[in-house]
Amino acid sequence: MTDPKRLTDVTALQLHRARATALFLQEAAADELQDRLSMVNRSFTSPAVVTPFPTIWKMRLPAALTCSDEEELALTPGAHDLVVHAMGLHWANDPVGQLIQCRRALKPDGMLIAATLGGQTLQELRSCLAQAEIALSGGLSPRVLPMGEIRDLGALLQRAGLALPVADSLTLTVEYRDAFHLMRDLRAMGETNALTARPKTAANRRLFEETSRLYAEHFATSTGRIPATFEMVFLTGWAPDDSQQKPLRPGSAQQRLADALDVSETPLPD
């Protein structure tokens, strides 16, 4: 039985992923993650990847343990010097819990890097769907997954107990012939609506026809195609270790900032 208090209907999500055939977004995130790892001056000998699509990672990190992004991750505490959480965090009912489990799986000074979809993702579709549904029915239904803003997602790293947290984003814009082709592609990605509170009956086709019309009216490019935004947010943190750099205590500076900048110091008025 579905728990109405949970954001994601896990059973529906698994069914959507099982029929996924177009994984270009997962591939793009994996390529970006691999590039970022190549710039880290460290050799990882015991990596693990949390991913709903493990075949994508077989060529990139062939020695890595892979596990699905279930609520209890199949990771051994303290066993890995690298954990990659790949494009599943946006569907997690407990994203902090996912990151805490990843942190526990790390050796001291081990690295976590996660990729997830951010709040700008599908902003055009979200806007047009809402406008069309209000016009046709006078209300709104949960039809597109709410995704975290980069600032909020970055804060999850600290809540999970990770050191040296960094969050940044990469925006991809993909063009489609119309909104119907976009929604068909989302289905092929396994990224269609799996919200617990989603409408359980099929929507009237008029809703999608009006959405497509509004999409073309407000967002069409000069070529007549429509853009779809995908914001990928990358979160990086480290398992705490005594060898890591730490901020100095307040008042412990050995030189005034004004002297370092070679400027005159102007006292603030009381």
Side-chain angles (χ1 to χ4, degrees):
M1 184 175 178
T2 301
D3 184 348
K5 296 180 182 180
R6 299 164 71 80
L7 177 70
T8 300
D9 180 343
V10 176
T11 300
L13 178 62
Q14 291 172 341
L15 289 172
H16 294 173
R17 287 173 169 177
R19 66 189 181 212
T21 57
L23 300 180
F24 77 90
L25 202 61
Q26 296 278 342
E27 295 275 2
D31 289 341
E32 180 66 21
L33 285 168
Q34 189 176 30
D35 286 344
R36 289 165 181 256
L37 290 173
S38 69
M39 293 185 284
V40 177
N41 188 23
R42 182 174 299 192
S43 296
F44 298 105
T45 58
S46 53
V49 182
V50 180
T51 173
F53 301 105
T55 54
I56 289 176
W57 288 92
K58 287 184 178 179
M59 293 294 292
R60 293 173 172 84
L61 290 175
L65 168 78
T66 59
C67 69
S68 62
D69 57 336
E70 297 176 356
E71 296 189 5
E72 292 188 14
L73 302 179
L75 296 175
T76 302
H80 303 284
D81 55 5
L82 169 68
V83 174
V84 175
H85 201 297
M87 294 296 284
L89 205 60
H90 53 285
W91 283 113
N93 282 307
D94 182 11
V96 177
Q98 289 279 298
L99 295 179
I100 289 174
Q101 291 181 74
C102 291
R103 191 255 299 163
R104 289 175 177 168
L106 289 170
K107 299 176 181 180
D109 202 32
M111 178 184 182
L112 166 71
I113 183 166
T116 185
L117 292 177
Q120 301 306 307
T121 299
L122 298 176
Q123 58 184 340
E124 306 91 350
L125 178 62
R126 193 189 312 272
S127 171
C128 294
L129 262 174
Q131 188 176 343
E133 190 166 21
I134 290 173
L136 293 174
S137 67
L140 279 176
S141 302
R143 297 187 182 278
V144 182
L145 174 70
M147 299 172 220
E149 299 297 330
I150 186 170
R151 180 183 301 177
D152 300 325
L153 293 171
L156 299 183
L157 294 168
Q158 291 179 307
R159 291 179 61 188
L162 289 151
L164 308 175
V166 176
D168 64 293
S169 66
L170 173 68
T171 300
L172 299 179
T173 302
V174 184
E175 291 190 357
Y176 291 91
R177 191 174 77 186
D178 54 37
F180 287 100
H181 279 75
L182 166 59
M183 288 183 277
R184 189 176 301 127
D185 213 13
L186 290 173
R187 179 183 176 89
M189 294 180 204
E191 294 287 347
T192 45
N193 192 353
L195 294 169
T196 299
R198 71 192 184 280
K200 301 305 190 292
T201 57
N204 190 305
R205 184 174 175 83
R206 286 182 59 206
L207 172 64
F208 299 115
E209 290 174 342
E210 179 63 8
T211 297
S212 185
R213 186 190 69 78
L214 290 168
Y215 211 136
E217 178 181 326
H218 294 297
F219 297 105
T221 67
S222 59
T223 61
R225 297 173 68 82
I226 60 162
T229 299
F230 295 95
E231 181 190 23
M232 289 191 288
V233 176
F234 298 90
L235 308 174
T236 305
W238 298 80
D241 186 68
D242 291 339
S243 65
Q244 293 167 348
Q245 295 181 348
K246 295 177 177 59
L248 295 174
R249 296 189 307 276
S252 62
Q254 301 298 312
Q255 184 180 20
R256 297 189 313 151
L257 179 61
D259 293 338
L261 298 176
D262 194 23
V263 298
S264 299
E265 183 176 11
T266 304
L268 293 174
D270 293 335

